[in-house]
Amino acid sequence: MIVLVGGEKGGSGKSCLAQNLAVYFRTHYNGEVLLVDCDPQRTTSDWIQERKDNTDLPSINCVQLYGNIREDLLSLKTRYDFVVVDCGGQDNRALRSSMSVASHALIPLRPKRRDLKTLPHMEDIITTCKMVNPSLNAAVVMTQCPALPNQAKRILEAKEVCRTFCVQVLENIIYSRNVYDDSEERGLSVMEIEPEGKAAEEIRVIAKEFLNL
C-alpha cells in the first residue's frame, strides 16, 4: 500500500511520524518498506543515513522524489509492500499527486489554532483527490499534544473542529515527548529506543487504528 504522511502545516511532526510508521510496517508485518522523501529539508533522508550506520537495525530503503510523483509511486508500489511518503508542510504537486494514488493519507496537526486553520484547504485537497482516487482513506491525527490534565479539553475541542470538516480524526493521539526527538537524531524509531515506552505504544495503536479505517 501507499501511505502518505503530509499536510499544509509545517512543524507538526510529519517526518517523525512517517519514520516511525515505516519501522512499524517493517517489523510488525516483516514487509519490504520504502520511504519516499518529498521534503526539500531532507529530514527523512538524513534519518535514513544515520540509521544505515547501525547494521543491527531492520533495513529500510529511501528515495527522494519531487513534483508530480504519481507514476513513480505506482511503479514503486509493485516492488514494495509499503511505500511511505513523507511530504513537506505545504500544498504542492508532490502532496496532491501522492494523494491521488495513496491508499491512506495521515495528516498530523497540533491542537493549535494555526494548525486547525489549514483544515478548510486540506478538506478541499482531499475532496479533489478523491475524485480520481475514491478509495483514499484520509484522517487527521493530533500530534505534540500537551500531557497536562488541564489541557485535555483543548485536545477534545481540536478533534471536534476536525469533525466539522469532511476529514476523519483518529481517537488515538501523540503526546509531546522528548523521546521522539532523541530517537530521530539517532536514526531510530521510538519502538527501538524504548520498546516498552509510552511513545512506542502510541505509534502502535495509531498505526492499527489508521490501517483499519
Side-chain angles (χ1 to χ4, degrees), residues 62-81:
C62 180
V63 296
Q64 297 172 29
L65 296 173
Y66 305 101
N68 185 352
I69 62 175
R70 175 186 170 89
E71 296 304 321
D72 295 295
L73 293 179
L74 289 175
S75 175
L76 292 168
K77 181 183 177 181
T78 65
R79 296 155 51 191
Y80 292 89
D81 300 303

Side-chain angles (χ1 to χ4, degrees), residues 63-133:
V63 296
Q64 297 172 29
L65 296 173
Y66 305 101
N68 185 352
I69 62 175
R70 175 186 170 89
E71 296 304 321
D72 295 295
L73 293 179
L74 289 175
S75 175
L76 292 168
K77 181 183 177 181
T78 65
R79 296 155 51 191
Y80 292 89
D81 300 303
F82 295 92
V83 178
V84 181
V85 185
D86 172 20
C87 277
Q90 57 183 313
D91 177 11
N92 55 25
R93 294 177 69 193
L95 175 66
R96 290 178 180 254
S97 59
S98 298
M99 202 172 285
S100 71
V101 294
S103 54
H104 292 74
L106 191 56
I107 305 160
L109 290 178
R110 295 165 294 187
K112 297 182 177 181
R113 187 173 301 172
R114 60 179 177 269
D115 283 36
L116 298 176
K117 281 184 177 180
T118 66
L119 280 168
H121 193 201
M122 285 307 306
E123 178 190 31
D124 180 63
I125 295 173
I126 292 169
T127 301
T128 300
C129 290
K130 278 192 171 183
M131 292 179 183
V132 296
N133 184 17

